[in-house]
Amino acid sequence: MLLFELSFPILVDESKLYFDGIGTSYNNSLNIKGGTSCSLCSYFNSFSAGKYRKYTLAQNITFNIKIQGFAEIFIKRENGNIITSRLIENSKPEALSITFSIIDAKDGEIFYPEISAKSDCQIFGGSYETKVSSQRDILLGASFCTYKREKYIISNMERLRDFGLKYSIPLKVFVVDNGSTLPETLSDNTITIIHNPNCGGSGGFARGLLEGVNFGCSHIIFLDDDISLDTNVILKTYSLLKILKPEYYDSFIGGAMLHSEIPYLQHECGALWDGFYLSPIGHEVDLRKKESVIANEKLQKADYQAWWYCCFPTSFGEKFGYPMPYFIKSDDVEYGIRCQKPIITMNGIAVWHDGFDGKYAGHFEYYIKRNELINTALHNKNTGIITNIRKLFASTARLTLLQRYFLAELVVKAYDDFMEGPEKLLSIDIAEYNTYLSSLAKPANDKSIIGNAKIISKPKIVNSALYYPSFGGNIFPSKNICIELPLTDIEIRKTFRARYIAHTKADGSTAFVTKLKKRKLFWVVGKTIRMFFKFLTKYKKVRADYIHNQEKLTSKQYWQNYFSK
């Protein structure tokens, strides 16, 4: 059975993600100069021996390679010890197979091939295979949720269509189009376009899961529409599902996120949730380095898997329910925590994804805070009153110091809506409510308000001992300056005594300009204090209501009713 094929740089030009040594890649082949060695101890081409031993029925693996030239091919452990080797010499491309055992592989250990070229050699491809007597029948579904991103989604559709033609793998692709802009004529035997109301990622993925269940898929992969996808990842996922040990049938298979802008840099490989805060695993790891590739297989157990690439059995819908109707943000967190099932990650199962700085929108502040509150209410064993109150004050204070008063109000509204209990979620039309929230988060971009203020593109960071006791300098008269700050990842101490702030996008253009309004600042503080008392007195009852109504909010019936409107 084919597990996966060797990959060479196609989607990104980062050779060390694929091989290490003096070699050049061209047209899905690899040229190695005589007298040099080329190692496949890389992120995409090494073999996750420890994880295949732990999670699957595989015991012996066959490495296949098609090569021309005189070379010795080694299979090595991650410490460099040789497991086995073969010598080959030919004047034309010839297939060679080497079989090795993974029975003694340690947890998280990788094995890898290394080619020692005695003459100039050329590799025309390769693969890993195994023979397993017991294999499951898998009908794999893949669900994209998209909204007016034709450039990305059509490219991914074409890759999957080509993938279906190349491999005899039962695959059905559902493209849930929340914008209803993709022609339904793009549908074929492999791909189905589904026009859906704009109910966000939560509703889009819920629809994808429903369609997968109705089609008879055994498993579904949730994928973001704006990823760059090497379809070898789909092959690797499918073959893994086929040979899983029975005790791991009910597992997630998670794909890491690599940065599109910096293709060798890993953003996340699974993530943790401590009941209040999220933290990525394997954050900012340089996967060009051998030591990073080895360490990446030994990362800690994840609590949830983000939905840029997340595969799981469709039976989870019946066992654990469907996504919460959050619209966007933290629906993947909540689902992973709710299911409480193992998350299998592995080198080579990954997608490239744009960073999040360019995707920021003001109303995200509402969704982040409201959905965090619901997640904590449902899944944190402690009540969470003190931490949630602290987060309320921290969020509104930060946004007011950034002069984003309208967003501070949205945070208070998130708390207010949460305090209305699950009936609020059950009663609203999430698409219409998103339109309403978006309208509250659109400040005027009037640069003329800064007048003759001095523009400072690189403001200095003020000492904390001065900044925080003076509430960002707001107890002093403001200076007639306009500082430029990014929309995200902000060092807030740069705002000291600034009268204006130009909030800039990732490309450097101005998103909007704000002006210091001390009366508005104190008004937001007042609303925050009132919410503090409301939260303190009513939180326990509201939390109990969410727990009691969780099954109703995540039911198949809820989403069927919504989609039938």
Side-chain angles (χ1 to χ4, degrees):
M1 175 188 172
L2 177 63
L3 296 177
F4 63 96
E5 295 186 331
L6 295 184
S7 297
F8 298 107
I10 296 176
L11 292 178
V12 297
D13 186 22
E14 284 293 344
S15 62
K16 286 199 173 183
L17 288 173
Y18 303 89
F19 60 87
D20 187 16
I22 302 175
T24 56
S25 176
Y26 175 73
N27 198 22
N28 211 29
S29 66
L30 179 62
N31 299 309
I32 307 172
K33 191 172 180 61
T36 67
S37 292
C38 186
S39 168
L40 298 185
C41 186
S42 63
Y43 181 73
F44 283 108
N45 288 326
S46 60
F47 189 80
S48 301
K51 290 191 173 179
Y52 273 94
R53 177 196 56 76
K54 177 179 179 178
Y55 295 119
T56 78
L57 300 169
Q59 295 184 338
N60 295 301
I61 306 299
T62 299
F63 173 66
N64 303 307
I65 188 169
K66 190 174 184 180
I67 185 170
Q68 178 179 326
F70 180 26
E72 188 168 12
I73 300 169
F74 301 92
I75 303 295
K76 293 186 174 183
R77 305 184 84 106
E78 64 183 37
N79 62 8
N81 289 348
I82 297 170
I83 299 171
T84 186
S85 66
R86 288 281 301 276
L87 201 64
I88 185 169
E89 184 175 8
N90 52 62
S91 58
K92 59 183 180 180
E94 186 175 310
L96 173 73
S97 296
I98 305 176
T99 299
F100 56 94
S101 172
I102 60 171
I103 293 175
D104 65 343
K106 300 173 184 176
D107 283 352
E109 186 177 15
I110 64 172
F111 293 173
Y112 64 93
E114 183 172 295
I115 299 96
S116 177
K118 313 299 182 183
S119 68
D120 289 354
C121 294
Q122 188 171 9
I123 297 172
F124 296 92
S127 64
Y128 294 96
E129 295 181 352
T130 191
K131 290 183 179 180
V132 174
S133 57
S134 176
Q135 297 181 16
R136 293 194 293 167
D137 290 331
I138 300 294
L139 174 52
L140 189 58
S143 176
F144 288 97
C145 175
T146 187
Y147 181 78
K148 297 182 180 180
R149 284 178 173 167
E150 282 79 358
K151 180 182 75 171
Y152 293 100
I153 192 63
I154 289 175
S155 174
N156 283 319
M157 286 166 55
E158 289 172 351
R159 288 194 192 104
L160 286 171
R161 190 175 281 116
D162 292 342
F163 173 81
L165 293 173
K166 183 177 179 181
Y167 301 99
S168 56
I169 289 176
L171 173 69
K172 182 64 179 177
V173 180
F174 306 100
V175 179
V176 181
D177 181 10
N178 282 351
S180 298
T181 54
L182 290 170
E184 291 180 310
T185 53
L186 292 175
S187 298
D188 57 23
N189 291 335
T190 301
I191 297 172
T192 298
I193 307 293
I194 302 160
H195 286 175
N196 204 47
N198 182 24
C199 43
S202 306
F205 285 125
R207 183 67 180 270
L209 179 54
L210 274 171
E211 296 291 337
V213 169
N214 293 338
F215 192 80
C217 295
S218 62
H219 293 75
I220 194 85
I221 308 173
F222 284 175
L223 304 109
D224 272 353
D225 58 349
D226 57 345
I227 58 172
S228 292
L229 175 68
D230 183 340
T231 53
N232 204 25
V233 174
I234 303 286
L235 174 61
K236 195 168 188 176
T237 301
Y238 172 79
S239 63
L240 195 59
L241 291 171
K242 291 277 288 182
I243 60 173
L244 281 177
K245 292 176 179 176
E247 58 265 39
Y248 293 108
Y249 281 177
D250 278 358
S251 297
F252 291 94
I253 296 177
M257 174 186 154
L258 312 185
H259 288 277
S260 295
E261 303 88 343
I262 311 173
Y264 58 81
L265 200 63
Q266 180 174 265
H267 170 73
E268 179 178 302
C269 183
L272 302 173
W273 183 71
D274 67 0
F276 298 102
Y277 298 99
L278 308 175
S279 54
I281 299 173
H283 187 54
E284 304 298 277
V285 173
D286 184 346
L287 294 172
R288 296 172 299 179
K289 300 176 180 178
K290 178 180 177 179
E291 59 269 26
S292 296
V293 172
I294 292 171
N296 211 53
E297 285 286 272
K298 300 170 179 62
L299 296 174
Q300 65 198 105
K301 175 185 173 184
D303 292 322
Y304 75 94
Q305 169 60 39
W307 286 351
W308 46 66
Y309 189 96
C310 180
C311 178
F312 57 93
T314 54
S315 60
F316 278 15
E318 189 68 31
K319 292 178 181 177
F320 307 113
Y322 285 69
M324 285 284 285
Y326 281 168
F327 194 81
I328 53 171
K329 299 297 178 185
S330 296
D331 41 7
D332 48 4
V333 180
E334 193 280 327
Y335 199 72
I337 301 299
R338 190 196 325 161
C339 294
Q340 286 288 296
K341 290 298 179 180
I343 299 170
I344 300 171
T345 60
M346 188 176 289
N347 282 345
I349 299 182
V351 296
W352 286 277
H353 195 292
D354 290 345
F356 301 108
D357 289 354
K359 299 178 181 179
Y360 177 82
H363 63 299
F364 288 0
E365 299 287 351
Y366 170 89
Y367 287 113
I368 291 168
K369 293 299 179 291
R370 185 201 65 180
N371 300 347
E372 282 179 351
L373 286 164
I374 298 173
N375 287 353
T376 297
L378 290 173
H379 302 298
N380 191 337
K381 294 179 181 178
N382 301 314
T383 59
I385 293 177
I386 301 302
T387 301
N388 281 324
I389 287 174
R390 188 167 63 242
K391 289 172 77 173
L392 167 65
F393 278 99
S395 297
T396 54
R398 180 176 178 80
L399 290 167
T400 52
L401 290 172
L402 288 169
Q403 300 175 6
R404 299 179 188 179
Y405 310 111
F406 60 102
L407 297 185
E409 290 180 62
L410 270 181
V411 168
V412 176
K413 180 168 182 55
Y415 273 73
D416 204 31
D417 283 0
F418 166 78
M419 293 302 293
E420 289 191 37
E423 289 304 320
K424 177 78 174 184
L425 267 182
L426 289 166
S427 63
I428 62 173
D429 182 299
I430 57 176
E432 292 178 1
Y433 205 64
N434 178 67
T435 302
Y436 164 67
L437 292 171
S438 298
S439 70
L440 299 179
K442 290 183 178 178
N445 184 17
D446 183 7
K447 296 181 183 179
S448 65
I449 66 171
I450 67 174
N452 63 351
K454 182 181 179 181
I455 297 175
I456 301 176
S457 58
K458 294 182 179 180
K460 295 179 180 179
I461 298 173
V462 174
N463 189 285
S464 297
L466 174 61
Y467 185 86
Y468 292 109
S470 66
F471 200 62
N474 283 298
I475 64 173
F476 306 120
S478 64
K479 292 182 178 180
N480 190 29
I481 58 174
C482 176
I483 63 169
E484 294 182 343
L485 291 177
L487 285 172
T488 58
D489 294 329
I490 308 159
E491 173 47 75
I492 196 169
R493 289 175 296 163
K494 293 180 179 180
T495 66
F496 188 72
R497 295 182 67 185
R499 188 171 299 170
Y500 307 98
I501 300 177
H503 306 264
T504 60
K505 300 177 184 177
D507 61 6
S509 62
T510 301
F512 54 91
V513 178
T514 56
K515 181 181 179 180
L516 176 64
K517 298 176 181 178
K518 292 188 178 181
R519 183 176 294 180
K520 192 75 170 177
L521 184 154
F522 290 113
W523 186 75
V524 170
V525 170
K527 290 193 73 172
T528 303
I529 292 171
R530 286 193 293 273
M531 177 52 62
F532 160 72
F533 286 110
K534 183 177 181 180
F535 199 86
L536 201 62
T537 55
K538 297 184 178 181
Y539 176 75
K540 287 186 179 180
K541 180 183 181 303
V542 171
R543 178 175 182 248
D545 285 345
Y546 276 104
I547 293 171
H548 179 72
N549 285 279
Q550 180 184 9
E551 189 172 331
K552 187 186 295 184
L553 284 164
T554 60
S555 68
K556 183 178 182 179
Q557 190 64 49
Y558 169 88
W559 285 111
Q560 285 177 327
N561 291 343
Y562 187 88
F563 296 135
S564 64
K565 289 179 183 178

